[in-house]
Amino acid sequence: MNVMGGSEIWRFNASLSYDETVGVMKGSDRANFNGSLGITYQGEKLIVSENLSVGTNNNANSPYGDFSSFAAMNRYWEPQDEEGEPILTYTHPLRSETSYSDNPAYNALVGVWNKTRYTNMRSATQVRYNINESFYISGLLGLSRMFNQADAFAPPSHAQFAGKETDQKGRFQRNEIESNQWNVRLNVNYAKTLQEKHMLTLSGAAEMEEKKQEQIMWAATGFAADNIDFPSMALGYGDETYPNGSVTTTRRLALIFAGNYYYDMRYFVDINFNANGASSFGEDSRWGKFFSFGLGWNVSNEDFFIEHVPYIQWLKLKASYGVSGNMGFSPENAMTVYSLNTQANYLSHFGAYLTSFGNTELKWQNTYQWNFGIELKTLHECLGLEFSYYRKMTDNTVADVFLPISHGFNTYKANVGSILNKGWDVKVTVDLFKNMDRGFTWNIMGSFNGNKNIVDKLSDGFKYTLSHNVTNMSSQEAVLKYREGHSMNAIYGLRTVGVDPQTGNRLFLDKNGNVTFAQNAEDMVYLGDSQPKVQGNISTNIAYKGFILTVGFGVRWGAKQFNATLANKTENTHFINNLDRRVLTQSWQEPGDVVPYKKLDINNTSSNTNVCDAFVQEDNVFQCTNINLTYNFSDDICKKLRLKGLSLNANLSDIFYISSIKRERGTSYPFSRNPNFSVSVSF
């Protein structure tokens, strides 16, 4: 609901919204409430506005966990025994008792729950004073406060408390996060048009910001019954629980300048510069300086183009180069941090220990980007085309680097190298039919892109970290992936020649091309790239006399993916769980079988099959993402109903999904195709 009103000087805007969603998994739900109030005073030269917003969120996570756990259960297993008591685990008569499968319904049956609450309040006060038609000063004061509370409870009858004393049975855990933030901004702006051809815009700004976050975690134990879960009813904090928490303060200061010049609506130049100082970085690298520079040419506004190329209504060329920075990590990565050991004391005094080894030279992650673009409209503006090519070099990438044992820490954060991103974007708009007299229009829009993500340069320290951390196939994949000149989205694995008909074991090729049964990390090779060559979205819009139909599609082509669903259901399956029929029909059973999947045994003595080319497949996708239908009632009907506007809307998402890979989707949390209907009324 939205209400607006006011006069020429005073205006207000108030809105309220509430939505409640019941999740597909039993016991999961979300409830959101949002409200806002805006007041604006607009005088001859002075404009003052205040916007206040409050949002709350209450949600409960399903105690049943992931749906994939239920999909793995055998259909003859019961969640409760003959006496109605929850069953903790399931075993197989041919397997040892140490091999079991957990009952995914156990937590819900005994009364485990997990809930969170979130409240966010924001205030933005803006003041603008117009000195003259070309020059004005503006200021902003922003305040925000966030509180997040997460509670979890496990009743005393839960199996994890078996054998413990009464004061240790049951557990209530709370995690509280409180965040307060303020920011102040002052702008000076100048805009002037000279001789009807020269348009100049200049602006300068200074900005300060501080964010303080406090987190507290504690737990209470000792509950008398399963239905008593309030913390005041607990017997204490327990012998194995200790309060924990942290306080983090980040500050930022920025100086910003921007300029724009337009000549005769044909040529333009954009210049931006800003200097940012942030506490998240080492004391030797607090400040980062960034800039951007852009040029453009509206070719279609040139006289020679209008005269000689009338079939193109719009043509614009543009190019830009700039440097941006990223401060998305915690201050303790750059600072040495100590903590008090509250679990032990000496003469009522606590000792301090080093918890974070800082890096005073930790720098901004800088991205150097240039791009070139073209905009085109032709066929009486029925066909529109936008194309851009970009190249991004991210320098000083932050990652973990190993330290010598003498430091007492395994790793610390450091700037380890450069990552290159290059690619293109295309946007096409086609008006297939447009007849305004009949009220019928039909258009199609498509946006597509391609991108390559390449390691450009790595520091010697990071290379050392990778090479000395090879303990398995997964760590070897990281070594291969982080190589200069190679894609970060590359898939590495083993080559296989199939399943040996005599033994039923999978055969692999080593690095020399010899056939072997062994799976060695040194034999891994490049198997493809998970980054698609082309991906994008297509939408079509049809409007006819108040009806508007919008259909959206998504496409993805030219990528490869490791089909984990196929591998885990055939060669890496767990015999105690519900099995795929391919285990019986397409797996090796006896000598002479020529089948795609290796033999399996009840005791799982054979090792799992790692990533190999037998399970790396083409990943091409075509999906219908949404269908939306709207009907806007005519002005005549609205007048009869004494309304300003009336519309009906229906929406449905995730219509279909077609992929070249057959794999499970939505087993962790099932997809739900929920149609949404809404009515919009304005007075």
Side-chain angles (χ1 to χ4, degrees):
M1 181 176 65
N2 188 287
V3 179
M4 296 179 291
S7 62
E8 294 182 359
I9 299 177
W10 290 96
R11 296 178 182 177
F12 74 90
N13 185 333
S15 66
L16 292 174
S17 66
Y18 176 81
D19 68 86
E20 184 173 352
T21 303
V22 178
V24 178
M25 289 297 292
K26 190 176 181 179
S28 64
D29 59 73
R30 304 286 186 273
N32 299 287
F33 172 81
N34 293 281
S36 65
L37 175 63
I39 301 176
T40 301
Y41 167 80
Q42 185 167 353
E44 184 177 348
K45 290 189 173 183
L46 180 64
I47 302 174
V48 181
S49 66
E50 166 63 25
N51 290 278
L52 176 66
S53 64
V54 178
T56 64
N57 171 272
N58 291 275
N59 65 74
N61 296 318
S62 173
Y64 292 92
D66 293 338
F67 180 75
S68 56
S69 300
F70 291 88
M73 296 292 99
N74 289 303
R75 63 184 63 186
Y76 51 82
W77 283 343
E78 297 290 342
Q80 296 168 302
D81 60 21
E82 296 178 353
E83 298 179 357
E85 295 297 325
I87 296 175
L88 180 61
T89 59
Y90 304 102
T91 59
H92 194 282
L94 299 180
R95 297 291 303 276
S96 63
E97 293 184 357
T98 58
S99 178
Y100 58 86
S101 183
D102 292 325
N103 178 8
Y106 178 81
N107 284 335
L109 293 174
V110 299
V112 172
W113 55 259
N114 186 328
K115 301 177 182 179
T116 62
R117 293 189 299 167
Y118 175 92
T119 302
N120 189 17
M121 295 178 289
R122 297 178 182 273
S123 171
T125 304
Q126 300 183 66
V127 179
R128 170 172 169 167
Y129 183 75
N130 299 318
I131 298 176
N132 52 47
E133 293 182 354
S134 302
F135 187 49
Y136 72 88
I137 300 175
S138 63
L140 167 69
L141 172 62
L143 303 172
S144 67
R145 179 181 177 87
M146 182 274 290
F147 180 77
N148 184 46
Q149 178 180 298
D151 295 337
F153 176 74
S157 64
H158 198 284
Q160 65 175 299
F161 305 115
K164 293 188 176 183
E165 298 296 329
T166 303
D167 61 350
Q168 300 298 315
K169 290 188 175 184
R171 181 185 177 95
F172 177 95
Q173 183 172 326
R174 173 165 291 181
N175 184 357
E176 298 177 351
I177 300 177
E178 182 178 326
S179 175
N180 294 281
Q181 181 176 347
W182 61 264
N183 68 295
V184 178
R185 183 183 178 100
L186 178 65
N187 289 73
V188 179
N189 299 272
Y190 176 81
K192 187 72 172 179
T193 300
L194 304 172
Q195 299 178 358
E196 298 183 354
K197 287 189 176 183
H198 304 276
M199 297 175 60
L200 178 64
T201 303
L202 299 173
S203 67
E207 189 176 63
M208 292 187 297
E209 179 182 280
E210 179 184 87
K211 181 179 180 180
K212 186 174 182 180
Q213 180 171 294
E214 181 178 307
Q215 183 176 14
I216 299 175
M217 295 169 285
W218 55 270
T221 62
F223 290 86
D226 289 357
N227 60 349
I228 298 178
D229 55 12
F230 197 71
S232 65
M233 303 301 293
L235 298 179
Y237 288 106
D239 296 336
E240 301 175 358
T241 63
Y242 299 90
N244 194 3
S246 63
V247 177
T248 303
T249 301
T250 57
R251 298 184 179 92
R252 184 177 67 87
L253 175 64
L255 301 174
I256 304 167
F257 168 80
N260 172 271
Y261 172 72
Y262 228 120
Y263 174 72
D264 198 24
M265 300 301 292
R266 290 183 291 166
Y267 314 106
F268 68 86
V269 179
D270 289 318
I271 299 175
N272 292 275
F273 173 81
N274 71 82
N276 269 274
S279 62
S280 297
F281 301 93
E283 59 184 3
D284 300 330
S285 305
R286 293 275 195 235
W287 284 87
K289 300 177 180 65
F290 314 105
F291 68 91
S292 65
F293 178 80
L295 297 172
W297 180 22
N298 293 332
V299 184
S300 53
N301 287 343
E302 297 286 356
D303 292 336
F304 73 87
F305 192 89
I306 297 174
E307 180 179 354
H308 298 289
V309 195
Y311 48 85
I312 296 180
Q313 288 75 51
W314 175 258
L315 179 62
K316 179 179 180 180
L317 304 178
K318 53 187 178 180
S320 65
Y321 176 80
V323 183
S324 59
N326 181 3
M327 55 174 292
F329 43 83
S330 183
E332 61 262 22
N333 296 142
M335 298 166 21
T336 298
V337 180
Y338 291 86
S339 297
L340 294 178
N341 184 4
T342 59
Q343 301 181 19
N345 67 85
Y346 179 73
L347 298 178
S348 300
H349 294 283
F350 296 111
Y353 61 95
L354 196 61
T355 56
S356 176
F357 187 77
N359 180 1
T360 60
E361 298 180 353
L362 194 63
K363 300 178 181 179
W364 291 76
Q365 292 184 142
N366 294 334
T367 298
Y368 301 84
Q369 176 178 351
W370 69 266
N371 62 34
F372 168 79
I374 181 172
E375 298 177 10
L376 173 70
K377 290 183 180 180
T378 185
L379 301 177
H380 303 288
E381 299 190 359
C382 290
L383 174 63
L385 174 67
E386 295 182 23
F387 173 82
S388 64
Y389 176 82
Y390 62 86
R391 180 184 175 92
K392 299 179 183 179
M393 179 69 74
T394 301
D395 199 10
N396 300 325
T397 303
V398 177
D400 288 323
V401 175
F402 272 128
L403 288 170
I405 299 177
S406 59
H407 279 270
F409 288 88
N410 294 326
T411 62
Y412 80 121
K413 295 291 184 182
N415 302 106
V416 300
S418 304
I419 306 297
L420 174 63
N421 278 274
K422 55 183 180 179
W424 53 268
D425 295 289
V426 172
K427 182 178 180 180
V428 181
T429 303
V430 181
D431 291 332
L432 297 177
F433 192 88
K434 183 185 292 185
N435 189 323
M436 304 308 296
D437 295 334
R438 295 184 178 181
F440 180 71
T441 61
W442 182 16
N443 60 62
I444 297 177
M445 295 168 286
S447 59
F448 308 92
N449 65 81
N451 178 69
K452 290 184 178 180
N453 196 8
I454 300 171
V455 177
D456 182 70
K457 184 179 180 181
L458 294 176
S459 67
D460 293 336
F462 191 61
K463 292 178 182 178
Y464 177 86
T465 296
L466 292 174
S467 62
H468 286 73
N469 191 36
V470 179
T471 58
N472 51 39
M473 302 282 285
S474 177
S475 55
Q476 175 65 17
E477 183 182 10
V479 174
L480 295 171
K481 183 174 294 186
Y482 291 101
R483 290 188 298 167
E484 295 175 350
H486 291 74
S487 170
M488 291 186 63
N489 303 109
I491 301 173
Y492 293 92
L494 300 173
R495 295 172 295 170
T496 177
V497 294
V499 175
D500 181 15
Q502 296 303 315
T503 65
N505 294 318
R506 182 165 288 281
L507 296 169
F508 300 94
L509 293 178
D510 64 16
K511 60 183 178 181
N512 298 317
N514 300 318
V515 178
T516 177
F517 290 120
Q519 301 183 68
N520 297 317
E522 61 184 14
D523 298 329
M524 298 175 69
V525 298
Y526 173 80
L527 298 178
D529 202 298
S530 61
Q531 181 70 30
K533 296 178 181 178
V534 178
Q535 63 180 346
N537 298 289
I538 303 172
S539 65
T540 183
N541 187 290
I542 302 174
Y544 178 70
K545 292 185 177 181
F547 287 97
I548 302 175
L549 175 65
T550 303
V551 184
F553 302 91
V555 294
R556 175 186 173 96
W557 176 81
K560 287 192 174 182
Q561 292 288 346
F562 172 64
N563 192 341
T565 298
L566 181 61
N568 293 335
K569 285 187 172 293
T570 55
E571 299 198 358
N572 298 334
T573 188
H574 192 192
F575 254 105
I576 195 174
N577 290 333
N578 186 25
L579 297 180
D580 191 291
R581 64 166 52 93
R582 286 171 292 190
V583 173
L584 295 177
T585 60
Q586 300 183 40
S587 293
W588 189 91
Q589 304 292 333
E590 58 185 21
D593 286 348
V594 180
V595 289
Y597 308 119
K598 71 178 185 180
K599 70 175 181 180
L600 299 173
D601 61 88
I602 191 68
N603 293 314
N604 280 358
T605 57
S606 61
S607 60
N608 283 345
T609 301
N610 291 290
V611 177
C612 65
D613 53 9
F615 299 102
V616 175
Q617 301 175 340
E618 295 285 346
D619 183 23
N620 301 320
V621 175
F622 179 71
Q623 59 180 323
C624 182
T625 55
N626 72 286
I627 296 178
N628 185 282
L629 179 62
T630 301
Y631 179 73
N632 296 313
F633 287 84
S634 65
D635 293 339
D636 294 337
I637 295 177
C638 292
K639 288 180 180 179
K640 292 179 181 179
L641 298 175
R642 297 183 179 180
L643 300 175
K644 186 177 181 180
L646 175 62
S647 64
L648 305 177
N649 180 270
N651 183 77
L652 183 64
S653 301
D654 294 321
I655 313 303
F656 63 79
Y657 183 95
I658 302 173
S659 173
S660 58
I661 296 181
K662 292 183 178 180
R663 55 188 173 189
E664 291 182 341
R665 299 173 61 246
T667 54
S668 178
Y669 195 93
F671 285 106
S672 60
R673 292 185 175 91
N674 295 324
N676 297 313
F677 302 95
S678 63
V679 179
S680 178
V681 182
S682 58
F683 298 92

